[in-house]
Amino acid sequence: MKTRQFWYPLPARLVAQHPAERRGTEKMMVLHRDTGVIEHRHIADIVEYITPNDLLVVNDTKVFPARLLGEWPDTHGAVEMLMVNAAPMDSDDERPTMAAAGDSLRWNVIVGSGRKCREGQVASFGPNGELKATLLKPLSGIGMWQVEFACGRPLMDLLDEFGHTPVPPYVKREGTAEEEREDRERYQTIYAREVGSVAAPTAGLHFTPEIFAALDAKGVKRVAVTLHVGPGTFRPVKAENIEDHHMDFEAFTVPPETADAVNACKARGGRVFCVGSTTVRTLETVAAAVAQDGAKDGKVVVPGSGASDIFIYPPYRFRVCDCMLTNFHLPQSTLLMMISALAGRERVLCAYAMAVQKNYMFFSYGDCMLIV
């Protein structure tokens, strides 16, 4: 398929620059993928669509202040680093791991600088240059380097003090303290637990304790996977044919209790509701591996960790995901291609045209769509 087949017109005014005034009040478009029927609801209404026979799966990754602004001490020139993922200390493998982010001082980062970078250069960050980063080696990808940090206190404590929330590039920020406070709170799900993402699993931003309490009261079971979201989620598809695009690797974990719950749901004929594309990619990656191995015990998924670069686009046969909560995505993005695989390209683009007409807000801080 051609990348241009996933383009749609979007007025700039509909790109959300800030979250809704109150979490849990966002609009929710409901798209019935078997009939194409569209409903206009709100996120709290999701409780009506999920039954006790179904299963809700979320991604419990936690965004950390991964954007650093500093200088080269030798020239006092400005430098910016976006921490992408923790790197193993004794391996040349560039694929991310699930190593605890706070325990690692060696990271793969994207460096932004007005000077040409070279191995051995040192950048400093923080009011007193307390955090130092030494460039170790260039990696594949524009501006990608492996660096080693040096600091007298825990790295994550320093990032909490002077790191910046890595909101996506289409969210414009002036760098004020008020904006940073807003993003620290709202560019994070209420169930975020495992530190490691530089982008939020944004479909989960809409949930509140009240919505979860209503689902609990209804008897809906909820489990989690972890996938640490990297900046590749925003990388545009530049290939003319979508089949020529390659996804970046992202580290994931499927706990035993999640695998058991998914397998039990499938066995009883229930539906798996995936919250966001990262949850879909995690479960479909594991299910594809199980299918390839030819498991004979009836399991759809198994517990484990790894790195996923799965690219889901039409046509694709979903092994796990039956229903999906997702935000409205960029034109010609891999995310739009994924939901087109689930609901059909024509139906999705028609729904997006209606969303524009009805003034839904788009992208990370915008409204959401439930595909059932």
Side-chain angles (χ1 to χ4, degrees):
M1 298 184 75
K2 301 295 184 183
T3 299
R4 63 176 178 269
Q5 293 177 265
F6 296 88
W7 181 87
Y8 67 90
L10 178 67
R13 63 182 173 81
L14 296 181
V15 178
Q17 296 300 308
H18 296 275
E21 185 174 348
R22 186 162 57 90
R23 194 193 295 261
T25 61
E26 297 87 352
K27 292 191 291 187
M28 179 179 72
M29 175 182 283
V30 181
L31 173 60
H32 295 262
R33 60 191 181 107
D34 56 342
T35 63
V37 169
I38 291 174
E39 301 175 76
H40 302 287
R41 307 294 295 269
H42 287 84
I43 181 59
D45 300 328
I46 193 172
V47 178
E48 300 177 22
Y49 294 89
I50 310 178
T51 75
N53 198 47
D54 301 324
L55 178 70
L56 187 69
V57 188
V58 302
N59 179 8
D60 66 0
T61 189
K62 187 172 185 178
V63 179
F64 67 102
R67 182 168 172 252
L68 289 167
L69 303 177
E71 68 171 20
W72 302 109
D74 57 344
T75 64
H76 300 291
V79 59
E80 177 177 340
M81 288 187 183
L82 178 64
M83 301 168 67
V84 177
N85 50 60
M89 297 293 289
D90 56 354
S91 173
D92 291 329
D93 191 347
E94 295 179 19
R95 286 182 297 179
T97 70
M98 291 300 293
D103 295 339
S104 178
L105 291 177
R106 186 169 292 188
W107 281 77
N108 299 329
V109 306
I110 297 175
V111 180
S113 173
R115 70 189 288 186
K116 184 177 181 179
C117 295
R118 65 180 186 276
E119 295 178 12
Q121 282 181 322
V122 178
S124 65
F125 303 94
N128 303 309
E130 186 175 357
L131 179 62
K132 300 287 194 299
T134 302
L135 303 188
L136 299 181
K137 62 179 180 179
L139 304 174
S140 58
I142 298 176
M144 285 287 296
W145 281 79
Q146 189 171 109
V147 306
E148 187 159 8
F149 288 103
C151 47
R153 290 189 286 148
L155 176 60
M156 287 297 157
D157 289 352
L158 297 180
L159 296 181
D160 282 338
E161 288 183 20
F162 52 76
H164 297 268
T165 303
V167 293
Y170 48 74
V171 174
K172 306 304 180 185
R173 289 291 179 261
E174 299 295 329
T176 66
E178 183 179 353
E179 288 174 335
E180 182 62 31
R181 282 194 297 271
E182 177 183 69
D183 292 331
R184 287 279 181 108
E185 177 187 358
R186 297 298 298 277
Y187 196 62
Q188 194 82 272
T189 65
I190 64 170
Y191 48 81
R193 187 169 63 96
E194 300 292 340
V195 175
S197 276
V198 300
T202 54
L205 298 180
H206 308 288
F207 284 101
T208 64
E210 292 76 16
I211 294 174
F212 279 154
L215 288 168
D216 291 343
K218 194 174 181 178
V220 175
K221 185 172 182 177
R222 180 175 71 253
V223 293
V225 298
T226 304
L227 183 138
H228 291 328
V229 191
T233 189
F234 304 120
R235 188 159 61 89
V237 179
K238 296 183 177 179
E240 180 180 357
N241 299 310
I242 64 174
E243 296 85 355
D244 296 329
H245 178 78
H246 298 284
M247 300 288 288
D248 293 344
F249 279 102
E250 292 172 316
F252 71 83
T253 290
V254 177
E257 59 270 22
T258 297
D260 290 344
V262 169
N263 290 326
C265 181
K266 287 295 187 180
R268 66 175 177 260
R271 297 171 299 172
V272 175
F273 278 73
C274 293
V275 177
S277 61
T278 57
T279 302
V280 174
R281 295 208 330 268
T282 300
L283 292 176
E284 293 295 327
T285 295
V286 175
V290 171
Q292 186 175 8
D293 289 344
K296 304 190 185 305
D297 54 5
K299 292 181 179 179
V300 180
V301 296
V302 294
S305 297
S308 173
D309 66 343
I310 190 172
F311 180 18
I312 297 175
Y313 56 86
Y316 178 85
R317 184 178 70 84
F318 289 84
R319 294 180 170 90
V320 180
C321 177
D322 299 296
C323 306
M324 180 183 181
L325 181 72
T326 183
N327 279 21
F328 291 94
H329 303 298
L330 279 73
Q332 300 185 166
S333 63
T334 60
L335 305 172
L336 182 60
M337 294 168 187
M338 173 189 286
I339 66 170
S340 296
L342 182 62
R345 184 183 67 89
E346 294 82 2
R347 279 186 175 155
V348 166
L349 291 179
C350 286
Y352 270 48
M354 183 174 291
V356 170
Q357 181 184 4
K358 297 286 187 180
N359 291 316
Y360 281 74
M361 298 305 293
F362 281 63
F363 307 160
S364 294
Y365 273 147
D367 296 310
C368 58
M369 170 187 280
L370 178 64
I371 300 173
V372 293

